[in-house]
Amino acid sequence: MLQGALGAGTLLSAGALSSCAGSVASATSSGTLVRIWDLLGGSDGQIMGEIVDGVREELPHVTIDRTTLAWGAPYYTKLAMASTGGRAPEAAVMHLSRLIGYAPGGLLEPFDLDLLEQVGITESDFPAALWERALFQDELYALPLDTHPFITFYNPAIAEPAGLLNPDGTLVEIDNPDALLDAGRAMAEVTGAQGFSYGYLSDAAQGWRMFWGLYGQTGAGYDFTPGRPVDFDDGAAVEVLEFMQSMLDGTVAANNSDYGGAIANFSTEQTGLIFSGVWEKTSLQGSIPDLGGATVPIIFGTPAAFGDSHSYVLPRQLVANQERREATYEVLGAILKRGLRWADAGHIPSLIPVVESSEYQDLVPQRNYAQAAEWIFLDPPVWFAGSGSDFQNRMCQAMQTALQGLGTAQDAVDTMIGEMNTFLETPAPA
């Protein structure tokens, strides 16, 4: 899924901290062949392997060939080339934010809602906003498996003496920028170092993840229409970036931390809270078994959380095979219904009945950040944006000098707008 500051290979060498890293695995037996590509190479990939094994037992008449590839630009390029040639797998995982770059070009086929209903999957099973984002020209082109927002994890042993826990162990409500900074200072007093961990330095996504989620919280709008200058609220953007600068003051949070350093500082209790993605739950619990979790505090008024969704898509087939297609629906339906096991990876299952089940509500810290799925704030729906895109990388580069305290927020936002307009002037690949 989403990787952090470093490349996929680095993440693997650091213990497979993130989910969207790469390896290759497959298994075959006899039956109708269903090939699935995914980009789940971290700890969540292992869990997905267990899920697929369970589906194999449930559907012995189907042969599932699962291939896990390194995530990022190479994955999406390979998927596009396979679809163009019409010899793609029956299904593939795609970040929902990348859908708009594929569906309009005829690289994907829409889902048949009747076939989905036959395997027990209907629109009412999904959050409305998530379903809406999976549509293109009123047809369903993506079947969401989960949402994976940018959230906060905290260490109760530090949050409690800092006065930041409710009696039930959840994090107190923090509803404005000053309160969040005060919380960081309170945790810093306990740790003797910093309060928060936030690794963004030289990262291709982390700066954008926090910025874009907080921009969504301001309620400001945007319009990314190719061929036209971006309509973007630079006043709201400067306000958000100035807050991020104030947070990186060396006490609330360090201003020179990369992704791995932030995790190390949180795991060794040099900080009490970390801003990161749900995909880090498993690795962080290895250091802090009673790990707490919460949505990113709503400090600018409007509930919003940066995030994305692993979603299954149907790549274009040169020759349609109805038997394989029907078997594919069976497999994908069975995978989605195993969302409770998928939740162990930290991701929020897409099916509402799974999240509302008593078994999911017993999961801690998952139940305490699950509400973020209702506020998910994806990248702008434009062909060049989305997880693993150069757009996110360029936005992070534009912000980095300001976040290090070496430039102004206004200059950084001006650079971001310039980059946005460059992308908007660039024709989409045919």
Side-chain angles (χ1 to χ4, degrees):
M1 197 280 321
L2 302 174
Q3 77 180 45
L6 312 176
T10 304
L11 286 172
L12 279 175
S13 65
L17 297 175
S18 178
S19 54
C20 297
S23 62
V24 177
S26 66
T28 59
S29 58
S30 60
T32 303
L33 179 64
V34 173
R35 297 161 299 172
I36 302 176
W37 287 4
D38 69 41
L39 36 62
L40 309 167
S43 58
D44 57 1
Q46 297 174 17
I47 291 174
M48 179 54 71
E50 296 175 17
I51 290 173
V52 171
D53 285 343
V55 174
R56 288 188 178 112
E57 293 181 7
E58 179 183 340
L59 304 174
H61 57 290
V62 178
T63 294
I64 304 173
D65 187 340
R66 174 184 175 232
T67 300
T68 300
L69 302 166
W71 96 289
Y75 176 84
Y76 287 109
T77 299
K78 186 177 180 68
L79 182 59
M81 293 177 65
S83 297
T84 300
R87 288 186 283 273
E90 279 67 38
V93 169
M94 171 178 284
H95 289 98
L96 190 56
S97 61
R98 302 296 297 260
L99 182 64
I100 197 66
Y102 286 76
L107 298 176
L108 305 177
E109 298 177 3
F111 280 88
D112 183 322
L113 299 188
D114 291 335
L115 284 180
L116 274 180
E117 186 172 6
Q118 289 178 23
V119 299
I121 303 294
T122 65
E123 177 181 351
S124 62
D125 293 324
F126 298 84
L130 191 61
W131 181 270
E132 182 69 23
R133 189 63 186 259
L135 301 177
F136 173 68
Q137 294 183 343
D138 297 326
E139 290 193 282
L140 186 73
Y141 274 83
L143 187 64
L145 169 67
D146 63 36
T147 53
H148 43 267
F150 194 71
I151 64 165
T152 63
F153 291 109
Y154 60 90
N155 185 338
I158 295 172
E160 195 280 330
L164 297 172
L165 291 189
N166 293 310
D168 64 358
T170 57
L171 201 65
V172 299
E173 183 179 7
I174 298 171
D175 60 5
N176 64 78
D178 288 340
L180 185 54
L181 297 177
D182 287 343
R185 296 183 188 105
M187 283 190 168
E189 289 185 11
V190 177
T191 66
Q194 285 90 37
F196 302 158
S197 278
Y198 173 53
Y200 72 94
L201 201 62
S202 301
D203 193 276
Q206 283 286 90
W208 175 252
R209 288 168 182 160
M210 175 169 278
F211 169 83
W212 190 238
L214 293 179
Y215 181 84
Q217 289 190 11
T218 69
Y222 63 84
D223 181 12
F224 287 69
T225 300
R228 293 168 45 187
V230 67
D231 184 356
F232 186 66
D233 190 332
D234 62 341
V238 169
E239 181 182 14
V240 167
L241 203 48
E242 287 181 339
F243 164 76
M244 293 171 67
Q245 287 178 305
S246 64
M247 188 182 79
L248 301 172
D249 65 352
T251 298
V252 177
N255 74 344
N256 59 352
S257 187
D258 62 16
Y259 194 96
I263 288 177
N265 288 338
F266 179 73
S267 299
T268 56
E269 301 190 328
Q270 295 180 60
T271 63
L273 179 148
I274 185 169
F275 293 96
S276 193
V278 296
W279 54 90
E280 294 294 355
K281 181 198 76 74
T282 303
S283 62
L284 294 176
Q285 277 184 320
S287 302
I288 303 172
D290 61 342
L291 182 72
T295 64
V296 169
I298 308 305
I299 60 174
F300 288 111
T302 301
F306 172 86
D308 212 324
S309 166
H310 293 121
S311 299
Y312 286 104
V313 295
L314 303 175
R316 185 180 77 89
Q317 301 292 322
L318 187 61
V319 179
N321 182 313
Q322 188 61 24
E323 183 179 2
R324 287 189 183 183
R325 178 53 51 88
E326 292 178 0
T328 300
Y329 280 70
E330 285 187 89
V331 170
L332 299 187
I335 290 175
L336 262 63
K337 291 174 184 175
R338 285 170 164 73
L340 192 63
R341 179 69 178 111
W342 189 233
D344 288 336
H347 307 302
I348 303 171
S350 60
L351 298 186
I352 294 173
V354 173
V355 175
E356 292 181 343
S357 69
S358 58
E359 292 88 349
Y360 184 85
Q361 292 303 315
D362 286 339
L363 297 178
V364 177
Q366 291 94 321
R367 70 183 183 195
N368 294 327
Y369 59 69
Q371 191 174 25
E374 302 172 15
W375 310 332
I376 206 75
F377 196 64
L378 277 71
D379 271 17
V382 64
W383 69 268
F384 51 77
S387 296
S389 66
D390 187 45
F391 171 75
Q392 287 193 354
N393 184 33
R394 300 266 284 274
M395 293 299 105
C396 290
Q397 291 176 6
M399 286 186 277
Q400 185 159 290
T401 299
L403 294 179
Q404 288 180 285
L406 303 174
T408 69
Q410 183 65 64
D411 287 345
V413 170
D414 289 345
T415 301
M416 293 168 72
I417 291 174
E419 294 279 17
M420 291 172 182
N421 287 330
T422 297
F423 277 105
L424 288 168
E425 293 167 358
T426 304

